Amino acid sequence: MAASGWVLFLNRLDEAPLPALHAAAPASFEVVARGQYLARVGNCIGCHTARGGRDYAGGAGVQTPFGAIYAPNLTPHAGTGLGGWTAAEFWRAMHNGRSRDGRLLYPAFPYPNYTLVTREDSDALFAYLQSLEPVDNASPAHALRFPFNTQAALAVWRALFFRPAAPSERAVMAATPVDATQQARLNRGAYLVQGLGHCAACHTPRNAWGAPRARASLQGGMVAGQGWYAPALDMPSEAGLAGWDADDAAVLLATGVSARASVSGPMADVVFHSLQYWSEADMQAAVAWLQALPQRPPSASGDAARPSQAALQRGEQLYGRHCAECHGNQGEGRAQAFPALAGNRAVLLQDPTNLVRLVLQGGYAPATAGNPRPFGMPPFMQTLSDQETADVLSFIRNAWGNEAGKVDTMAVHRARERRGP
C-alpha cells in the first residue's frame, strides 16, 4: 500500500485540477502563426504523419523495444482527433504526460522533454493545431507486450524516471534573447534543445527500461526501433560543435550540408521537417548552447580490432570500383556534392552502424531551401555481399590517415535485417 501510494503521489506531482469548461475565445492570427512555428520547432509533423497520410492526422508507428506505439491524430476532428480537447487538457499532456481522459501517456511522446515548454507556448501550439482542417483518422491500437501495455507498469516507470519541470526552470530557459546578451542566448538555446526540440530523446543513451540514462544527457545512443546511432553532442570526435565556427554549424543544421559535414538517416528527416524552418535567432541560440556544452574526451579506440591486410586489399579494390568516382581516390570528396571520407568523424565513429546503413540503403541529404537539389548515394544492398560491405568500410576507416576498428560481417548482417527506416 505504501509503495502504491508513493507511485500515485509521484504521478500526480505538480498536476493542477482542470478548470471548468467554458467557451474559449478564438485565437488571434499572431498566436496561431506562432503555434505553427512552434510545431515546426518540435517536429510534430515527423511523428504524427503516416507515410502517404494527411499532415498531423496520426497513424505513424513508433517502434520501441517493448512493441509499437502509434502516434495519435492532432487535427481537430471531434471523434478521432483533438476536437473535444481544451487548451488546459493539451497543456496537461505536454507538461504532465496525461491524456484528456486521465490515461498516462507513453514517453514515445517526449513529454519528459516537453514538460519544459511554457504554458504560453503550449497554448499557441494548441491554437495552431485547432486551426487545421479536421481529418477523420483513428490511429491503430498500440501493440505493446505485457506488462508494458498496462497503466500500472507505466505509472511505476514514471515514478522512477519522470518529474515535471518546475515553473522557474521553464521561465528562465524560455526567455527570448531580445537583449542579445550571451546568457539570454544560452537560456533560449537550452529551452529549444532540451525542451520542444527534444534533441536528447535521440542523442541520449537509454537504460533497459527505455528511460534516458541518468547524467548521460546528449552523450549519444541508438535511436530506439530505427537502427541508427545518434552521435554524442558533447564529444568533438562525434557530433560536438564546440570547435566549429558558429555560422558553419548553423548552416549544417539549417540546410543539411556544410563545408565540413552533411546529415543523413533520421537526422535528415529532422532537418527536412524542422530545423530548416527555425528562425535565425533561434538557430544561433541553439548552436551557442551546444557549443557551450562541456566536452568529453574521445573514447579510447586502441583496443578496437583492426582489419587484416587481406581485408584492406579487398576493400581498396572495391572502393576503386564503386566509390572513388564520387568520393575521390584519396577520400577527398567533392565540395558541396559528396562528403570527404578522409578525416570524416562520421566515418570514424566507434559504432559503424550508420556507415553500414548508408552503404546498404543509400541516402540523400534533405532537400532544403539552402540545398534544394541534394546529391545522393545509391543503395548497394543488392550489389555488395556482407563480406564485401565489411571489407570496403574497413578500408575506408583505415585509409588516408583514418584509424578505426574493423567492420565485421555480423554488423552488416544485423543492419541488412533492419530494412525499415
PDB file of all heavy atoms in Angstrom, residues 147-164:
ATOM      1  N   PRO A 147       4.073  -6.780 -19.520  1.00  0.00           N
ATOM      2  CA  PRO A 147       3.144  -5.875 -18.832  1.00  0.00           C
ATOM      3  C   PRO A 147       3.259  -4.425 -19.283  1.00  0.00           C
ATOM      4  O   PRO A 147       2.666  -3.539 -18.682  1.00  0.00           O
ATOM      5  CB  PRO A 147       3.582  -6.008 -17.379  1.00  0.00           C
ATOM      6  CG  PRO A 147       5.077  -6.151 -17.474  1.00  0.00           C
ATOM      7  CD  PRO A 147       5.322  -6.970 -18.721  1.00  0.00           C
ATOM      8  N   PHE A 148       4.059  -4.173 -20.351  1.00  0.00           N
ATOM      9  CA  PHE A 148       4.305  -2.791 -20.760  1.00  0.00           C
ATOM     10  C   PHE A 148       3.056  -2.120 -21.320  1.00  0.00           C
ATOM     11  O   PHE A 148       3.032  -0.903 -21.501  1.00  0.00           O
ATOM     12  CB  PHE A 148       5.449  -2.757 -21.777  1.00  0.00           C
ATOM     13  CG  PHE A 148       6.667  -3.502 -21.321  1.00  0.00           C
ATOM     14  CD1 PHE A 148       7.050  -4.689 -21.945  1.00  0.00           C
ATOM     15  CD2 PHE A 148       7.420  -3.044 -20.257  1.00  0.00           C
ATOM     16  CE1 PHE A 148       8.160  -5.388 -21.521  1.00  0.00           C
ATOM     17  CE2 PHE A 148       8.534  -3.742 -19.824  1.00  0.00           C
ATOM     18  CZ  PHE A 148       8.908  -4.920 -20.459  1.00  0.00           C
ATOM     19  N   ASN A 149       2.019  -2.908 -21.613  1.00  0.00           N
ATOM     20  CA  ASN A 149       0.773  -2.347 -22.128  1.00  0.00           C
ATOM     21  C   ASN A 149      -0.211  -1.985 -21.024  1.00  0.00           C
ATOM     22  O   ASN A 149      -1.371  -1.698 -21.296  1.00  0.00           O
ATOM     23  CB  ASN A 149       0.114  -3.337 -23.095  1.00  0.00           C
ATOM     24  CG  ASN A 149      -0.196  -4.675 -22.444  1.00  0.00           C
ATOM     25  OD1 ASN A 149       0.243  -4.942 -21.333  1.00  0.00           O
ATOM     26  ND2 ASN A 149      -0.952  -5.509 -23.133  1.00  0.00           N
ATOM     27  N   THR A 150       0.238  -1.975 -19.775  1.00  0.00           N
ATOM     28  CA  THR A 150      -0.647  -1.657 -18.663  1.00  0.00           C
ATOM     29  C   THR A 150      -0.330  -0.278 -18.088  1.00  0.00           C
ATOM     30  O   THR A 150       0.821   0.164 -18.096  1.00  0.00           O
ATOM     31  CB  THR A 150      -0.518  -2.694 -17.538  1.00  0.00           C
ATOM     32  OG1 THR A 150       0.789  -2.601 -16.951  1.00  0.00           O
ATOM     33  CG2 THR A 150      -0.730  -4.111 -18.081  1.00  0.00           C
ATOM     34  N   GLN A 151      -1.366   0.372 -17.577  1.00  0.00           N
ATOM     35  CA  GLN A 151      -1.173   1.669 -16.936  1.00  0.00           C
ATOM     36  C   GLN A 151      -0.369   1.534 -15.638  1.00  0.00           C
ATOM     37  O   GLN A 151       0.380   2.444 -15.266  1.00  0.00           O
ATOM     38  CB  GLN A 151      -2.532   2.306 -16.648  1.00  0.00           C
ATOM     39  CG  GLN A 151      -3.242   2.828 -17.889  1.00  0.00           C
ATOM     40  CD  GLN A 151      -2.689   4.158 -18.370  1.00  0.00           C
ATOM     41  OE1 GLN A 151      -2.884   5.180 -17.736  1.00  0.00           O
ATOM     42  NE2 GLN A 151      -1.991   4.135 -19.504  1.00  0.00           N
ATOM     43  N   ALA A 152      -0.497   0.400 -14.969  1.00  0.00           N
ATOM     44  CA  ALA A 152       0.244   0.201 -13.724  1.00  0.00           C
ATOM     45  C   ALA A 152       1.749   0.209 -13.980  1.00  0.00           C
ATOM     46  O   ALA A 152       2.519   0.854 -13.252  1.00  0.00           O
ATOM     47  CB  ALA A 152      -0.179  -1.121 -13.073  1.00  0.00           C
ATOM     48  N   ALA A 153       2.182  -0.506 -15.032  1.00  0.00           N
ATOM     49  CA  ALA A 153       3.608  -0.532 -15.361  1.00  0.00           C
ATOM     50  C   ALA A 153       4.090   0.857 -15.754  1.00  0.00           C
ATOM     51  O   ALA A 153       5.191   1.283 -15.373  1.00  0.00           O
ATOM     52  CB  ALA A 153       3.868  -1.531 -16.483  1.00  0.00           C
ATOM     53  N   LEU A 154       3.270   1.582 -16.505  1.00  0.00           N
ATOM     54  CA  LEU A 154       3.644   2.927 -16.924  1.00  0.00           C
ATOM     55  C   LEU A 154       3.735   3.867 -15.722  1.00  0.00           C
ATOM     56  O   LEU A 154       4.619   4.728 -15.653  1.00  0.00           O
ATOM     57  CB  LEU A 154       2.638   3.443 -17.938  1.00  0.00           C
ATOM     58  CG  LEU A 154       2.925   4.799 -18.587  1.00  0.00           C
ATOM     59  CD1 LEU A 154       4.328   4.837 -19.190  1.00  0.00           C
ATOM     60  CD2 LEU A 154       1.886   5.097 -19.657  1.00  0.00           C
ATOM     61  N   ALA A 155       2.837   3.704 -14.763  1.00  0.00           N
ATOM     62  CA  ALA A 155       2.868   4.536 -13.558  1.00  0.00           C
ATOM     63  C   ALA A 155       4.158   4.307 -12.774  1.00  0.00           C
ATOM     64  O   ALA A 155       4.771   5.253 -12.262  1.00  0.00           O
ATOM     65  CB  ALA A 155       1.649   4.244 -12.678  1.00  0.00           C
ATOM     66  N   VAL A 156       4.589   3.062 -12.669  1.00  0.00           N
ATOM     67  CA  VAL A 156       5.839   2.769 -11.970  1.00  0.00           C
ATOM     68  C   VAL A 156       7.016   3.377 -12.724  1.00  0.00           C
ATOM     69  O   VAL A 156       7.923   3.962 -12.122  1.00  0.00           O
ATOM     70  CB  VAL A 156       6.013   1.241 -11.811  1.00  0.00           C
ATOM     71  CG1 VAL A 156       7.399   0.916 -11.263  1.00  0.00           C
ATOM     72  CG2 VAL A 156       4.933   0.679 -10.894  1.00  0.00           C
ATOM     73  N   TRP A 157       6.999   3.250 -14.054  1.00  0.00           N
ATOM     74  CA  TRP A 157       8.080   3.839 -14.861  1.00  0.00           C
ATOM     75  C   TRP A 157       8.177   5.333 -14.610  1.00  0.00           C
ATOM     76  O   TRP A 157       9.261   5.888 -14.407  1.00  0.00           O
ATOM     77  CB  TRP A 157       7.806   3.570 -16.341  1.00  0.00           C
ATOM     78  CG  TRP A 157       8.918   4.004 -17.261  1.00  0.00           C
ATOM     79  CD1 TRP A 157       9.933   3.240 -17.735  1.00  0.00           C
ATOM     80  CD2 TRP A 157       9.116   5.316 -17.817  1.00  0.00           C
ATOM     81  NE1 TRP A 157      10.758   3.982 -18.548  1.00  0.00           N
ATOM     82  CE2 TRP A 157      10.279   5.266 -18.619  1.00  0.00           C
ATOM     83  CE3 TRP A 157       8.419   6.524 -17.713  1.00  0.00           C
ATOM     84  CZ2 TRP A 157      10.769   6.370 -19.303  1.00  0.00           C
ATOM     85  CZ3 TRP A 157       8.905   7.645 -18.396  1.00  0.00           C
ATOM     86  CH2 TRP A 157      10.058   7.554 -19.173  1.00  0.00           C
ATOM     87  N   ARG A 158       7.032   5.995 -14.620  1.00  0.00           N
ATOM     88  CA  ARG A 158       7.028   7.452 -14.415  1.00  0.00           C
ATOM     89  C   ARG A 158       7.493   7.816 -13.018  1.00  0.00           C
ATOM     90  O   ARG A 158       8.201   8.816 -12.821  1.00  0.00           O
ATOM     91  CB  ARG A 158       5.625   8.000 -14.671  1.00  0.00           C
ATOM     92  CG  ARG A 158       5.222   8.014 -16.136  1.00  0.00           C
ATOM     93  CD  ARG A 158       3.716   8.160 -16.273  1.00  0.00           C
ATOM     94  NE  ARG A 158       3.203   9.271 -15.488  1.00  0.00           N
ATOM     95  CZ  ARG A 158       2.936  10.478 -16.002  1.00  0.00           C
ATOM     96  NH1 ARG A 158       3.128  10.710 -17.296  1.00  0.00           N
ATOM     97  NH2 ARG A 158       2.461  11.441 -15.246  1.00  0.00           N
ATOM     98  N   ALA A 159       7.101   7.023 -12.038  1.00  0.00           N
ATOM     99  CA  ALA A 159       7.543   7.304 -10.675  1.00  0.00           C
ATOM    100  C   ALA A 159       9.056   7.209 -10.555  1.00  0.00           C
ATOM    101  O   ALA A 159       9.683   7.961  -9.801  1.00  0.00           O
ATOM    102  CB  ALA A 159       6.872   6.336  -9.706  1.00  0.00           C
ATOM    103  N   LEU A 160       9.648   6.318 -11.323  1.00  0.00           N
ATOM    104  CA  LEU A 160      11.098   6.134 -11.269  1.00  0.00           C
ATOM    105  C   LEU A 160      11.862   7.140 -12.123  1.00  0.00           C
ATOM    106  O   LEU A 160      12.959   7.562 -11.741  1.00  0.00           O
ATOM    107  CB  LEU A 160      11.453   4.713 -11.728  1.00  0.00           C
ATOM    108  CG  LEU A 160      11.008   3.565 -10.820  1.00  0.00           C
ATOM    109  CD1 LEU A 160      11.251   2.225 -11.508  1.00  0.00           C
ATOM    110  CD2 LEU A 160      11.755   3.632  -9.493  1.00  0.00           C
ATOM    111  N   PHE A 161      11.292   7.532 -13.260  1.00  0.00           N
ATOM    112  CA  PHE A 161      12.109   8.228 -14.259  1.00  0.00           C
ATOM    113  C   PHE A 161      11.579   9.574 -14.733  1.00  0.00           C
ATOM    114  O   PHE A 161      12.230  10.217 -15.557  1.00  0.00           O
ATOM    115  CB  PHE A 161      12.290   7.324 -15.491  1.00  0.00           C
ATOM    116  CG  PHE A 161      12.907   5.990 -15.194  1.00  0.00           C
ATOM    117  CD1 PHE A 161      12.198   4.822 -15.419  1.00  0.00           C
ATOM    118  CD2 PHE A 161      14.185   5.906 -14.671  1.00  0.00           C
ATOM    119  CE1 PHE A 161      12.756   3.583 -15.153  1.00  0.00           C
ATOM    120  CE2 PHE A 161      14.760   4.671 -14.389  1.00  0.00           C
ATOM    121  CZ  PHE A 161      14.049   3.505 -14.632  1.00  0.00           C
ATOM    122  N   PHE A 162      10.418  10.035 -14.250  1.00  0.00           N
ATOM    123  CA  PHE A 162       9.872  11.298 -14.768  1.00  0.00           C
ATOM    124  C   PHE A 162       9.473  12.230 -13.639  1.00  0.00           C
ATOM    125  O   PHE A 162       8.831  11.812 -12.676  1.00  0.00           O
ATOM    126  CB  PHE A 162       8.646  11.020 -15.649  1.00  0.00           C
ATOM    127  CG  PHE A 162       7.891  12.272 -16.030  1.00  0.00           C
ATOM    128  CD1 PHE A 162       8.470  13.210 -16.874  1.00  0.00           C
ATOM    129  CD2 PHE A 162       6.612  12.510 -15.545  1.00  0.00           C
ATOM    130  CE1 PHE A 162       7.790  14.373 -17.223  1.00  0.00           C
ATOM    131  CE2 PHE A 162       5.916  13.655 -15.893  1.00  0.00           C
ATOM    132  CZ  PHE A 162       6.507  14.595 -16.740  1.00  0.00           C
ATOM    133  N   ARG A 163       9.872  13.498 -13.773  1.00  0.00           N
ATOM    134  CA  ARG A 163       9.406  14.563 -12.898  1.00  0.00           C
ATOM    135  C   ARG A 163       9.047  15.767 -13.756  1.00  0.00           C
ATOM    136  O   ARG A 163       9.832  16.175 -14.613  1.00  0.00           O
ATOM    137  CB  ARG A 163      10.500  14.984 -11.893  1.00  0.00           C
ATOM    138  CG  ARG A 163      10.928  13.906 -10.922  1.00  0.00           C
ATOM    139  CD  ARG A 163       9.835  13.551  -9.925  1.00  0.00           C
ATOM    140  NE  ARG A 163      10.306  12.549  -8.983  1.00  0.00           N
ATOM    141  CZ  ARG A 163      10.280  11.240  -9.203  1.00  0.00           C
ATOM    142  NH1 ARG A 163       9.773  10.772 -10.343  1.00  0.00           N
ATOM    143  NH2 ARG A 163      10.739  10.393  -8.315  1.00  0.00           N
ATOM    144  N   PRO A 164       7.867  16.356 -13.579  1.00  0.00           N
ATOM    145  CA  PRO A 164       7.525  17.560 -14.348  1.00  0.00           C
ATOM    146  C   PRO A 164       8.440  18.719 -13.986  1.00  0.00           C
ATOM    147  O   PRO A 164       8.895  18.833 -12.835  1.00  0.00           O
ATOM    148  CB  PRO A 164       6.074  17.835 -13.954  1.00  0.00           C
ATOM    149  CG  PRO A 164       5.890  17.138 -12.640  1.00  0.00           C
ATOM    150  CD  PRO A 164       6.797  15.952 -12.642  1.00  0.00           C
TER     151      PRO A 164
END
